[in-house]
Amino acid sequence: MKARGIETHLGRKIVRFDADRVVTEGGEFAADLILFTPGLTGPAWIEATALPKSAGGFIASDEICRVIGFERTYVVGDGGSFPGPDWMPKQAHQADLQALAAVANVAAELEGRAPTHRFKPELICIVDTLDAGILVFRDQQRSFTLPPLGPLHTLKAMFEQRYISVYR
Ligand SMILES: Cc1cc2nc3c(=O)[nH]c(=O)nc-3n(C[C@H](O)[C@H](O)[C@H](O)COP(=O)(O)OP(=O)(O)OC[C@H]3O[C@@H](n4cnc5c(N)ncnc54)[C@H](O)[C@@H]3O)c2cc1C
């Protein structure tokens, strides 16, 4: 951001939005257009349950997607809080990997075996700019971002069609 001359205001709580400015606890700055993305919190209904909660209000899980302190109870996806690297995304791909581990563990338990399947922390994302796509990848070993490439836009569209067709 700095290299592109974009000023950042990090770690300061937003006090309010005015029509032409953003006011934070650490000062204010003018804005022509304000786009606000609220932070994620866990589902509100967890409050009324005995499920263990993380600091952010998500269902606390161990490394095999088992709800902490609950027998044969698993959580996957955005609603869970999982041990792992701090870059671990709340992403559909990550939810899929967690679901594979959880299903394998449920199957193991039903067959009387110990549940031992872990999920791989992995971020794969194609940022689609409509005329190109930017691949962002990260796992425990590698981290890279490719420049915008036309075929990646097409690839993302094909992947989406294939992925959604299962549900349609
Ligand atoms: C704008 C946006 C763009 C994104 N882009 C990408 C992307 O390009 N690639 C990617 O991998 N990920 C992307 N994600 C993240 C991805 O959508 C989530 O990580 C993924 O959907 C999580 O899946 P989930 O099944 O855990 O939760 P969800 O998909 O949120 O599913 C939870 C479901 O539970 C339902 N539900 C909630 N409460 C109740 C209740 N009390 N009773 C019954 N049903 C209930 C909800 O309606 C919802 O259908 C994006 C997210 C957003 C918001």
Side-chain angles (χ1 to χ4, degrees), residues 55-139:
F58 299 96
I59 301 170
S61 164
D62 64 15
E63 64 286 345
I64 62 164
C65 298
R66 191 170 41 189
V67 176
I68 290 172
F70 279 69
E71 271 188 76
R72 294 183 293 278
T73 307
Y74 290 83
V75 58
V76 302
D78 284 5
S81 172
F82 306 88
D86 59 6
W87 53 261
M88 197 161 62
K90 287 213 179 291
Q91 244 204 346
H93 174 59
Q94 188 65 81
D96 281 349
L97 295 176
Q98 288 161 350
L100 288 172
V103 165
N105 286 327
V106 169
E109 294 214 61
L110 288 173
E111 290 162 7
R113 291 181 283 113
T116 54
H117 295 270
R118 292 168 177 239
F119 64 89
K120 184 183 182 201
E122 187 172 78
L123 189 163
I124 304 180
C125 181
I126 295 175
V127 183
D128 192 0
T129 60
L130 300 183
D131 57 354
I134 303 164
L135 177 70
V136 182
F137 178 89
R138 188 161 190 180
D139 68 4

Side-chain angles (χ1 to χ4, degrees), residues 29 44 46 70 78 89 92 99 106-107 132 156 161 164:
F29 54 91
I46 297 178
F70 279 69
D78 284 5
V106 169
K156 179 156 185 169
Q161 214 166 29
I164 293 175

